[in-house]
Amino acid sequence: MQLTVWTYEGPPHVGAMRIATAMEGVHYVLHAPQGDTYADLLFTMIERRGKRPPVTYTTFQARDLGKDTAALFQTAVRDAVDRFAPQALLVGASCTAELIQDDPAGLASALRLPIPVIALELPSYQRKEHWGAAETFYQLVRALCSGAGGTTTAASPSPGSSPAQAGAQERDAGIDAQSSLKIDIATGPRPSPGKEKGAKRPSANILGPTALGFRHRDDVVEITRLLETLGIGVNVVAPLGATPADLARLPEADFNISLYPEIADTACRWLERTYGQKTIRTVPIGHGATRDFIAEVAALAGVDPAAALDTSRLPWWSRSVDSTYLTGKRVFIFGDATHAVAAARVARDEFGFEVVGLGCYNREFAREIRTAALLYGLEPLITDDYLEVEDAIARLQPELVLGTQMERHIAKRLRIPCAVISAPVHVQDFPARYSPQMGFEGANVLFDTWVHPLVMGLEEHLLTMFRDDFEFSDHAGASHLGHGSAPILPREPGEGDREHSANGGGGTTAVVSPSTSPLHHSAEEAERSPSPAEAGEEQKGWSPEAERELLKIPFFVRGKARRNTERYAAEQGIAAITLDTLYDAKAHYAR
Amino acid sequence: MSALLPLTMPDCAPVRGPVLRERGQREVFCGLTGIIWLHRKVQDAFFLVVGSRTCAHLLQSAAGVMVFAEPRFATAIIEERDLAGMVDCNAELDRVVDRLLARRPDIKLLFLVGSCPSEVIKLDLSRAAQRLSAKHAGATRVLNYSGSGIETTFTEGEDACLAALVPELAATAPGAAPELMIVGALPDVVEDQFLRLFAQLGIETVRSFPARRAGAMPPVGPNTRFLLAQPFLGETARALEDRGAVRLDALFPFGAEGTSNWLHAAAVAFGVDAMHFRAVIAPGRERAKRAIAHARDRLEGKRIFFLPDSQLELPLARFLAQELGMVPLEVGTPYLHRAHMAQELALLPAGTVISEGQDVDRQLDRVRAARPDLTVCGLGLANPLEAEGLTTKWAIELVFSPIHGFDQAGDLADLFARPLRRRDVLKV
């Protein structure tokens, strides 16, 4: 058993829901107990969808367990097909139904439905959301491209489907051999492939965007536009917005773009094997990666990349003098592997940050994180335990955290600026405005999003110059952390007077940062009556003068100064930290 | 002062038309969700769900931002290797609990909360609770209840939790003077209002169940008279009755009338003088009526449809019909406790369809056919219905907001008026 409060990923059937919800004409019948419908509100609330996810739950209850949950499942399947008339049906079990061992594949195939039925085997006690999404997408692609239509259940490689038949499909798999079967699935008019029209325009599939994907909506728009500029047609975007008939057309493209490897990679590998379609694996997040992506695509499609090498504003914004202060800012990066790896490159090469921590929560992509971490000389952090992430952030004391919703909260607690780069995210990261992460516009978005939480260079300079002014005093809090970040602590009676004398300033606000308050406290104690015993352990032998000097250092670098000084003192075997120790340490760590 | 509206109800509610019972897909939460508000109420209790990643994901989705504030709940996620053998599973649970209690020594009461997976694999959490109670005796009491979806719907999680606590309550002294117990977790502000009112009425000993701390749970015995503050406490009421306590039948304390009737039931049981009663409740009652008056203009005559969610639907529909002039079309409830609801049912307008259980697609067909002015439903349905042009009020807010008593009546009415007001003000 694993003790958990926060989970970075949901169970695998939520991944399957993300595929079903992304698509049109697919319905998912999930054998699940009453209550599992909670997952609907991820789509209707966080992503703000105006339609119910195309999922029917059997919602069995305790009283059904003694009876026939299998019959309940079959009724739900029949009703769902009658009511929603999908072009293809997904069936599967959630974690509880997995335990009661009804067989969705067999039960559904016994109904001899007139549409393709794809049975999903999602091991809930081993795997998670991204895996579930990838597996579901792969099974759909495999079943619908191979023309496994009719009443056949395509539950490979799991037992259930006939191995002989699956083998035959693999052998026959070829665009021409399968085209007759595809008509069974296509209900709409088949778009005519470009190949038949004289001038051959290269085309690609964009694979991976789903429902509940972080900025998937706008990334697709941005990448589609990019391909358009290169003169490359988009054959199918899937699963987002695709129908089962569209999936059947996947082999018509010249190559595939694995936009989100967490979801698309399994399907892309199968398409590579089966149809010889090459896969573009560069993820176009950041200015440089977008250029690499264009080069890779252009080379594969045999087109001139020049047209698309329009540029983002990021390079100039980043070179402009106001960005100088970004140099060497220490950044901690955590998220899904794809976004984390991409962010690390952007952080170092395009912002001039120092990457001090890099990690991901999805173990399936641990290799990618390990490879990337080598580039930065880091030990990768691969964990789905947020407490480990919190420990790492607290230990490293970065100046910026790039992470998920969870890191946002950790950073808030530690009073470190933070920007969100990866799912899981909350409702505010499904914005109304256009805000891709990918392509050149995505690079612009990254620049604004990451820099915004930091103090702007000029502002930082002013803060330092006027730090004794009441408006910029330590107690005024950090404007860049937002109004919600600083807990308003009730002021102790008489505290204001002490602060007044300690700082020689007005100190009219009551905002005290948690990270600096012990320091303030001890400094005030020192001011009032320099009693080391009263000030406690936290001082680690700081003299009152050194403490006061530390207070003069702007709050946003004070934590680092304190830590460096203490480390220096420990290394040098100095017990009492004096003014000299403080400045010796400063000189020691000077860059 | 004008005479109070009927404070005494006929003993037996008139028999209503048949209740529409449906089976099918239910779009409801499971009982685990109750943890979200229960852990705020009992300040030294911890709720450990023994379940799957789905359970953890549900709690996270339902608790939203609260997950980050060192909450007093967590999930012990069952993994593949736990499913291999039962012995291992119990040892694992002990290990998780030991680790948890070592980290949180301030926890006095630990609930092992059963889930669908733990129920299906028949992990005996009651035995585990006994074992762990003995192990951590003196420091932490360990109890168990089930919040699984296969057994409980949303607020029934609180019922199961409180029912598990009842056998643990101390016995009152034999022959002691009657005491009043308010049953059901209420927001502190509401609880305090009620305690003040009962004190003014002259009812000497009034206790809340659950109490705010594990060590302060009320005693129970034949001298206990209890008022249900929430309509979803069937099991808890039965457990209390098993220990000799007597339930005071009343409307649930929503709106001026519901609250008056609820207080009155206690006043009668404790022999409070009628004049004194009226004098004490008059200011609050008048305030409540004033507070809901402006909402009445907007809500009167509007047709409302309740989808099942929390069992609060019937009392709320009664309040909206009786005091705000709304027209309930269908009032869905996940479970209908006929005895506890008798008075509420009697006050609903004739022609109101009462439905128990759910087949969500069929029920939505009825919503679409009726096109009510306001539909009360869960968050999984609210936006999709809005997209179809139907105005909705999301139901969970009714469980998380202070809505009981005189001084919340205006807020309660406004919860229903606001979506309609918004519909009118938006020009996009």
Side-chain angles (χ1 to χ4, degrees):
Chain A
M1 280 179 198
Q2 186 202 354
L3 185 61
T4 319
V5 176
W6 167 269
T7 61
Y8 282 98
E9 293 185 78
H13 72 257
V14 169
M17 287 181 69
R18 288 178 56 185
I19 304 298
T21 307
M23 290 183 67
E24 303 287 338
V26 173
H27 200 86
Y28 182 22
V29 178
L30 182 61
H31 205 15
Q34 167 178 266
D36 279 5
T37 52
Y38 82 87
D40 281 0
L41 64 87
L42 303 173
F43 299 93
T44 60
M45 297 307 293
I46 295 181
E47 204 177 13
R48 240 186 274 254
R49 284 185 175 255
K51 263 162 61 178
R52 290 172 64 205
V55 183
T56 294
Y57 306 78
T58 54
T59 55
F60 54 84
Q61 292 175 269
R63 61 184 171 198
D64 301 316
L65 289 179
K67 293 185 255 163
D68 201 355
T69 48
L72 197 68
F73 178 78
Q74 285 190 314
T75 309
V77 169
R78 220 181 276 116
D79 288 353
V81 171
D82 286 350
R83 179 175 283 270
F84 300 104
Q87 297 166 36
L89 192 73
L90 293 167
V91 297
S94 80
C95 52
T96 306
E98 193 181 329
L99 297 171
I100 62 175
Q101 294 181 331
D102 288 332
D103 169 27
L107 291 169
S109 84
L111 291 172
R112 312 217 152 268
L113 297 169
I115 49 168
V117 175
I118 297 107
L120 301 173
E121 297 274 349
L122 306 176
S124 309
Y125 298 91
Q126 293 173 335
R127 304 293 193 162
K128 296 177 214 163
E129 183 178 330
H130 277 121
W131 189 89
E135 174 69 9
T136 304
F137 184 50
Y138 161 67
Q139 292 294 354
L140 269 166
V141 167
R142 196 174 186 285
L144 297 167
C145 279
S146 315
T151 54
T152 316
T153 298
S156 54
S158 55
S161 70
S162 134
Q165 186 200 15
Q169 281 169 12
E170 294 275 15
R171 271 194 308 281
D172 289 353
I175 302 173
D176 294 331
Q178 296 299 315
S179 57
S180 59
L181 284 166
K182 274 181 290 183
I183 298 166
D184 293 342
I185 303 151
T187 54
R190 282 189 65 196
S192 58
K195 287 174 186 174
E196 288 156 26
K197 287 182 188 170
K200 184 182 176 295
R201 187 170 126 102
S203 72
N205 298 315
I206 297 179
L207 302 181
T210 63
L212 266 189
F214 175 65
R215 308 295 167 87
H216 288 194
R217 177 197 69 192
D218 297 344
D219 284 348
V220 168
V221 175
E222 192 62 20
I223 296 309
T224 304
R225 201 151 67 188
L226 210 87
L227 294 175
E228 208 53 52
T229 320
L230 286 167
I232 298 168
V234 174
N235 180 51
V236 171
V237 177
L240 193 64
T243 62
D246 291 333
L247 292 192
R249 292 193 296 111
L250 284 176
E252 291 168 13
D254 295 306
F255 60 97
N256 293 313
I257 293 169
S258 173
L259 209 54
Y260 305 101
E262 271 85 352
I263 290 144
D265 193 57
T266 321
C268 283
R269 280 175 200 283
W270 183 80
L271 289 166
E272 265 170 27
R273 277 202 311 276
T274 311
Y275 300 105
Q277 286 173 320
K278 295 239 172 12
T279 305
I280 301 288
R281 290 202 158 80
T282 301
V283 177
I285 296 180
H287 180 81
T290 301
R291 289 179 68 95
D292 291 353
F293 173 83
I294 290 169
E296 197 180 342
V297 167
L300 192 55
V303 299
D304 180 10
L309 289 179
D310 177 17
T311 178
S312 62
R313 292 188 195 93
L314 184 144
W316 167 243
W317 250 243
S318 208
R319 279 196 303 267
S320 77
V321 292
D322 193 54
S323 300
T324 312
Y325 79 103
L326 297 174
T327 317
K329 285 248 189 239
R330 304 169 71 256
V331 59
F332 179 91
I333 301 171
F334 195 84
D336 68 48
T338 298
H339 284 88
V341 169
R345 174 177 173 182
V346 177
R348 187 183 65 178
D349 298 347
E350 300 176 21
F351 280 69
F353 291 156
E354 184 195 348
V355 180
V356 297
L358 179 62
C360 75
Y361 55 78
N362 48 340
R363 271 169 213 285
E364 290 89 345
F365 285 76
R367 193 189 303 158
E368 281 76 356
I369 281 285
R370 282 203 194 94
T371 310
L374 279 179
L375 293 175
Y376 307 95
L378 295 172
E379 193 60 38
L381 177 65
I382 298 153
T383 180
D384 58 357
D385 182 349
Y386 73 97
L387 292 173
E388 277 184 44
V389 179
E390 186 170 62
D391 287 348
I393 294 176
R395 185 162 34 79
L396 292 164
Q397 282 289 320
E399 290 157 279
L400 177 67
V401 172
L402 300 176
T404 72
Q405 180 72 8
M406 188 57 206
E407 283 67 48
R408 216 169 68 92
H409 284 266
I410 292 171
K412 202 163 157 183
R413 265 179 55 180
L414 300 172
R415 289 183 63 82
I416 300 169
C418 178
V420 170
I421 58 156
S422 160
V425 293
H426 205 52
V427 63
Q428 69 268 35
D429 277 303
F430 286 92
R433 67 176 185 279
Y434 183 61
S435 37
Q437 300 285 290
M438 292 181 173
F440 292 125
E441 182 57 23
N444 294 338
V445 169
L446 292 186
F447 187 88
D448 291 346
T449 313
W450 296 7
V451 167
H452 178 79
L454 298 166
V455 192
M456 294 304 291
L458 186 62
E459 196 182 338
E460 181 168 323
H461 177 66
L462 290 175
L463 273 172
T464 316
M465 252 175 79
F466 301 120
R467 62 174 175 243
D468 291 332
D469 264 34
F470 73 94
E471 277 176 286
F472 296 104
S473 81
D474 295 320
H475 299 290
S479 64
H480 59 288
L481 289 175
H483 60 277
S485 62
I488 311 290
L489 301 178
R491 198 165 254 252
E492 308 239 333
E495 197 179 323
D497 303 337
R498 289 209 306 280
E499 266 162 21
H500 192 86
S501 60
N503 296 339
T508 48
T509 98
V511 182
V512 178
S513 88
S515 61
T516 54
S517 57
L519 173 63
H520 282 152
H521 183 66
S522 48
E524 285 148 13
E525 295 287 349
E527 179 77 5
R528 199 176 43 174
S529 62
S531 147
E534 196 182 331
E537 286 273 300
E538 273 177 37
Q539 278 203 59
K540 285 191 186 159
W542 284 76
S543 75
E545 297 77 27
E547 276 281 8
R548 269 197 299 278
E549 197 67 10
L550 193 62
L551 264 186
K552 295 179 190 164
I553 297 169
F555 61 85
F556 41 82
V557 286
R558 196 181 298 143
K560 195 165 82 175
R562 174 185 268 282
R563 196 166 44 88
N564 282 350
T565 308
E566 285 170 3
R567 192 166 68 190
Y568 176 79
E571 280 167 8
Q572 304 293 318
I574 298 169
I577 296 174
T578 63
L579 216 52
D580 283 336
T581 323
L582 180 67
Y583 284 110
D584 285 346
K586 185 171 191 291
H588 180 78
Y589 289 108
R591 274 183 266 198
Chain B
M1 191 200 311
S2 60
L4 292 172
L5 278 172
L7 287 173
T8 45
M9 291 291 153
D11 281 346
C12 188
V15 181
R16 295 187 54 88
V19 171
L20 178 62
R21 282 210 176 70
E22 281 195 302
R23 299 285 316 272
Q25 180 181 328
R26 292 179 142 218
E27 188 84 16
V28 288
F29 281 127
C30 65
L32 295 182
T33 328
I35 291 171
I36 307 300
W37 65 87
L38 280 170
H39 91 285
R40 306 299 309 165
K41 188 70 199 173
V42 188
Q43 293 159 15
D44 49 3
F46 194 100
F47 294 79
L48 180 65
V49 176
V50 183
S52 63
R53 178 167 301 278
T54 312
C55 307
H57 197 234
L58 159 87
L59 281 180
Q60 173 175 323
S61 310
V65 88
M66 218 188 274
V67 167
F68 306 100
E70 275 293 327
R72 280 172 286 101
F73 60 82
T75 309
I77 295 183
I78 299 171
E79 292 167 316
E80 191 78 39
R81 59 204 181 90
D82 299 306
L83 297 172
M86 295 299 292
V87 178
D88 183 38
C89 217
N90 284 313
E92 278 290 291
L93 182 59
D94 290 9
R95 183 182 61 80
V96 165
V97 169
D98 289 351
R99 193 176 147 215
L100 175 69
L101 292 178
R103 271 178 63 111
R104 302 293 299 266
D106 51 320
I107 298 305
K108 299 281 179 281
L109 179 58
L110 174 68
F111 286 101
L112 302 178
V113 188
S115 66
C116 301
S118 73
E119 297 292 329
V120 167
I121 64 170
K122 303 213 181 321
L123 183 59
D124 193 340
L125 289 184
S126 71
R127 252 189 41 210
Q130 281 171 20
R131 185 175 68 234
L132 289 162
S133 259
K135 188 173 177 183
H136 299 279
T140 309
R141 242 182 332 153
V142 185
L143 298 178
N144 88 289
Y145 72 90
S146 172
S148 74
I150 57 177
E151 289 156 305
T152 58
T153 305
F154 196 25
T155 48
E156 283 173 18
E158 175 173 336
D159 191 23
C161 173
L162 297 188
L165 264 174
V166 170
E168 301 289 309
L169 299 180
T172 51
E179 293 181 2
L180 181 63
M181 188 195 279
I182 305 171
V183 183
L186 291 170
D188 289 353
V189 56
V190 176
E191 189 178 298
D192 292 342
Q193 288 168 10
F194 284 149
L195 291 176
R196 279 199 299 274
L197 278 169
F198 285 125
Q200 286 168 32
L201 286 173
I203 300 176
E204 272 174 28
T205 313
V206 185
R207 302 177 201 269
S208 298
F209 181 55
R212 293 178 202 185
R213 305 206 73 88
M217 292 295 166
V220 67
N223 64 323
T224 305
R225 306 286 173 269
F226 69 92
L227 272 175
L228 294 180
Q230 301 280 22
F232 43 74
L233 298 173
E235 280 303 305
T236 307
R238 218 183 43 152
L240 288 168
E241 281 162 353
D242 285 349
R243 297 200 54 182
V246 178
R247 183 176 71 90
L248 306 176
D249 192 41
L251 291 176
F252 290 92
F254 300 114
E257 303 308 332
T259 306
S260 299
N261 180 285
W262 189 76
L263 295 168
H264 188 251
V268 169
F270 285 80
V272 176
D273 172 70
M275 289 299 289
H276 178 58
F277 174 76
R278 282 168 197 241
V280 167
I281 71 159
R285 185 179 161 81
E286 285 308 311
R287 270 203 308 277
K289 289 189 164 189
R290 267 205 314 280
I292 64 175
H294 66 277
R296 187 175 176 110
D297 297 339
R298 192 171 292 275
L299 293 175
E300 191 162 19
K302 294 285 193 295
R303 296 144 67 246
I304 188 165
F305 197 118
F306 281 89
L307 273 73
D309 188 57
S310 62
Q311 297 185 46
L312 289 165
E313 297 83 6
L314 279 164
L316 292 178
R318 181 265 304 157
F319 161 68
L320 294 172
Q322 189 184 22
E323 302 188 35
L324 292 156
M326 291 190 87
V327 182
L329 298 176
E330 176 172 332
V331 184
T333 177
Y335 175 73
L336 176 62
H337 196 299
R338 283 182 166 276
H340 292 183
M341 287 297 168
Q343 292 201 39
E344 300 283 357
L345 283 168
L347 285 172
L348 279 170
T352 306
V353 175
I354 311 292
S355 63
E356 184 183 14
Q358 189 176 36
D359 181 328
V360 71
D361 287 312
R362 285 204 194 123
Q363 196 167 34
L364 288 174
D365 287 344
R366 294 199 296 277
V367 170
R368 292 181 185 116
R371 293 205 71 81
D373 296 297
L374 192 61
T375 305
V376 183
C377 62
L379 288 172
L381 300 173
N383 270 336
L385 286 176
E386 291 279 352
E388 291 180 30
L390 291 158
T391 304
T392 59
K393 164 78 215 105
W394 45 284
I396 318 168
E397 195 177 12
L398 300 163
V399 176
F400 287 105
S401 312
I403 58 170
H404 297 70
F406 289 135
D407 290 311
Q408 282 65 239
D411 302 338
L412 177 57
D414 196 51
L415 285 179
F416 293 93
R418 198 179 302 139
L420 293 170
R421 191 160 71 236
R422 181 165 184 78
R423 185 190 65 185
D424 294 345
V425 299
L426 287 185
K427 301 287 180 253
V428 291

